Amino acid sequence: MPSKVVVGVQWGDEGKGKVIDILASRADVVVRSQGGNNAGHTVKSGGEVYKLHLIPSGILYKGVKCYIGCGVVIDPQDILREIDGLSERGIDCSNLRIDPRAHIIMPWHRRLDGLSERALGESQIGTTGRGIGPCYMDKYERSGIRLYDLVHDEIFTRKAAAVGALKNRIITQIYGGEPLDVPAIIEEYREYAKRLAPYVDDVSVLTYNAIREGKDILFEGAQATLLDIDFGTYPFVTSSHPVSGGAAIGAGVGPGELGEIIGVAKAYTTRVGAGPFPTELNDETGDLIRNRGQEFGTTTGRPRRTGWFDAVLIRHAVRVNGLDCLAVNKFDTLSGLETLKVCVAYKKPDGTLLTEYPCDINELKDASPVYEEIGGFSGDISTCKAFDELPQACRDYIEFLEKFCGCPIKMVGVGPSREQVLER
Ligand code: GDP
Ligand code: IMO
Ligand code: MG
């Protein structure tokens, strides 16, 4: 198996965890390259459900090495909690390695995430509150604390004391918030450092060597294209690059090493948090999809907004990721709906048609989706074992999607388990 990259192509939660878990069974190494514990990847295996936030979704396979690259932001407490939770369930994390260049989420990042959201009032982004944006802000401002610093006590103490004092001034004097106890934080993080030290290694070197040894590498994307800091619905985005190009930088390998690029989508669209969503359904159909598809956030438990499949958005994702193919999940959720709609363009109030995803969300203001319709399918498709077993109307819908997306659909999800993916 050549290297593969798995990226989300909508607004997240497309079922990347499931697809990665399936592909990881044929891989030697799984590398996470961006985002942090804002991600929530669900893997269902043997009746067990695992919700992974920072640890790559290859961890369930004993022989697979799991790397976290420099592009990821690490919450030490959270990753240790995740390691402990997996260990209690008999999953061994000794194959995990984390790049020392990865930045550390500190308590002030979480505090500032909440305070800045509160200050935004009605314009708030609806972040996961995990401190992701403020941590990446420090990284790019060049004042961040890296894992390397954390595991070198003297450097960590000096940096954390200086940065912590400055953050307390921002928290209290700009936002009117409660200051943090910086010395207590330093003590607490010292303990995390001791426990994380054995996992620290240069992921760029490890991944490069694995490639040279002919190993199969799987790059695991988190978040999704429309949450990308540049190619998403700015400012309603996350603070990293979930697009495929981000995988090269975030893992520390050349773009030529990425191999096949697989985009994961749902057979409809969902979004958590605020921001534009042209095909959103604020009606009974939207509620039905939410309830039947169990569309509640894996990380925050928030109800996900739901809507029809948007092919304009997917075509944008095909281009910016260089997608080779799509894996589309949750066809089972749509069973029983009489008609299925696919958005193929947006119409502005002056009648202009937008066929490319616009650069700025203001272009979407008052634009309405232009739909193509197709008859729905019915029956329980969750037990289908092959593409040919799907009802003809379901296969027609899949071909309908391919036509408007301009990309082949190679994996079809009909349920949450490993076995419920039909490969074409
Ligand atoms: P991720 O963030 O992209 O990994 O996706 P999440 O795990 O946050 O959300 C996807 C949800 O859909 C999880 O609860 C999965 O178990 C579930 N899921 C994935 N594929 C399918 C599918 O084909 N059918 C159904 N019914 N559920 C699915
Ligand atoms: P996975 O990997 C869905 C959304 C948040 C919010 C915006 C910014 O499970 O698909 P942040 O905390 O990142 O600053 O929040 O991004 N968001 C996600 N939505 N799935 C995710 O990850 C997400 N990670 C962030 O809801 O709208
Ligand atoms: Mg998720």
Side-chain angles (χ1 to χ4, degrees):
M1 182 181 93
S3 296
K4 289 183 177 9
V5 185
V6 173
V7 291
V9 295
Q10 294 161 323
W11 279 289
D13 305 327
E14 298 91 346
K16 296 178 291 295
K18 180 182 80 170
V19 171
I20 291 155
D21 170 67
I22 291 166
L23 297 173
S25 68
R26 305 161 210 166
D28 300 300
V29 179
V30 181
V31 194
R32 244 307 279 273
S33 51
Q34 46 69 229
N37 54 335
N38 47 350
H41 297 174
T42 314
V43 177
K44 215 171 166 188
S45 151
E48 294 277 315
V49 178
Y50 300 89
K51 291 177 191 284
L52 301 160
H53 299 282
L54 270 163
I55 298 188
S57 305
I59 200 74
L60 303 186
Y61 299 97
K62 214 171 170 4
V64 174
K65 296 202 176 352
C66 288
Y67 300 157
I68 297 179
C70 66
V72 178
V73 289
I74 312 285
D75 185 319
Q77 187 180 23
D78 224 58
I79 195 166
L80 287 167
R81 200 183 294 139
E82 209 171 321
I83 291 171
D84 291 342
L86 286 167
S87 302
E88 277 163 24
R89 296 173 75 180
I91 309 292
D92 173 31
C93 292
S94 58
N95 272 337
L96 178 70
R97 292 293 176 274
I98 315 169
D99 196 281
R101 303 171 186 89
H103 280 246
I104 297 298
I105 297 180
M106 298 295 295
W108 44 81
H109 294 134
R110 286 193 298 271
R111 176 78 51 99
L112 286 165
D113 196 349
L115 288 168
S116 65
E117 280 282 87
R118 204 172 71 191
L120 282 171
E122 290 200 339
S123 318
Q124 64 177 240
I125 296 162
T127 71
T128 60
R130 300 295 191 266
I132 306 294
C135 184
Y136 278 113
M137 278 166 72
D138 283 2
K139 168 173 173 164
Y140 287 100
E141 196 218 22
R142 295 160 294 181
S143 64
I145 296 172
R146 308 205 291 180
L147 181 57
Y148 181 91
D149 304 329
L150 181 68
V151 296
H152 288 83
D153 192 52
E154 191 225 328
I155 303 176
F156 176 69
T157 306
R158 182 168 38 81
K159 275 199 170 182
V163 176
L166 183 64
K167 296 296 176 186
N168 265 343
R169 286 173 60 193
I170 299 171
I171 290 168
T172 55
Q173 293 174 27
I174 306 285
Y175 290 106
E178 286 296 310
L180 290 159
D181 183 344
V182 176
I185 291 169
I186 294 174
E187 278 311 306
E188 181 190 338
Y189 273 58
R190 259 193 198 127
E191 293 309 308
Y192 302 149
K194 282 183 208 150
R195 288 202 55 204
L196 284 175
Y199 298 103
V200 182
D201 207 340
D202 190 325
V203 165
S204 170
V205 172
L206 293 175
T207 310
Y208 184 70
N209 288 344
I211 293 168
R212 297 215 314 178
E213 285 164 20
K215 305 281 189 210
D216 295 331
I217 319 288
L218 184 59
F219 296 91
E220 168 170 356
Q223 288 79 52
T225 307
L226 272 292
L227 289 172
D228 183 274
I229 188 80
D230 281 319
F231 294 103
T233 43
Y234 192 87
F236 300 98
V237 292
T238 192
S239 299
S240 66
H241 279 299
V243 295
S244 60
I249 300 173
V253 297
E257 309 290 2
L258 298 184
E260 189 181 13
I261 319 266
I262 304 166
V264 187
K266 273 176 192 162
Y268 46 92
T269 313
T270 65
R271 165 163 217 173
V272 257
F277 183 171
T279 64
E280 183 166 14
L281 288 166
N282 289 307
D283 61 8
E284 278 174 17
T285 309
D287 293 342
L288 187 136
I289 293 174
R290 181 176 311 102
N291 292 328
R292 204 190 281 168
Q294 279 302 295
E295 296 296 354
F296 298 91
T298 309
T299 297
T300 58
R302 291 178 288 178
R304 294 176 184 144
R305 299 157 66 193
T306 52
W308 293 121
F309 190 91
D310 185 341
V312 185
L313 174 162
I314 304 287
R315 284 202 300 270
H316 171 75
V318 168
R319 172 169 39 80
V320 300
N321 291 293
L323 293 188
D324 291 302
C325 64
L326 284 163
V328 185
N329 286 313
K330 294 207 146 179
F331 283 95
D332 52 311
T333 303
L334 296 180
S335 180
L337 289 177
E338 216 163 284
T339 308
L340 300 171
K341 295 187 188 184
V342 173
C343 171
V344 296
Y346 311 123
K347 193 174 197 170
K348 301 219 311 184
D350 65 2
T352 324
L353 277 188
L354 293 175
T355 53
E356 298 290 348
Y357 209 86
C359 302
D360 194 278
I361 58 171
N362 283 306
E363 297 290 318
L364 284 175
K365 218 180 247 165
D366 304 319
S368 49
V370 178
Y371 287 117
E372 291 277 344
E373 295 188 8
I374 187 169
F377 52 92
S378 55
D380 178 11
I381 62 165
S382 68
T383 52
C384 289
K385 296 273 177 270
F387 187 75
D388 294 345
E389 288 179 24
L390 289 170
Q392 185 59 47
C394 181
R395 281 184 274 162
D396 291 345
Y397 178 55
I398 293 166
E399 280 166 21
F400 195 67
L401 299 183
E402 282 182 321
K403 181 173 108 187
F404 292 112
C405 296
C407 190
I409 297 174
K410 289 219 177 142
M411 294 168 104
V412 173
V414 295
S417 301
R418 272 178 192 170
E419 302 75 31
Q420 290 170 303
V421 167
L422 316 178
E423 298 194 43
R424 284 169 92 194

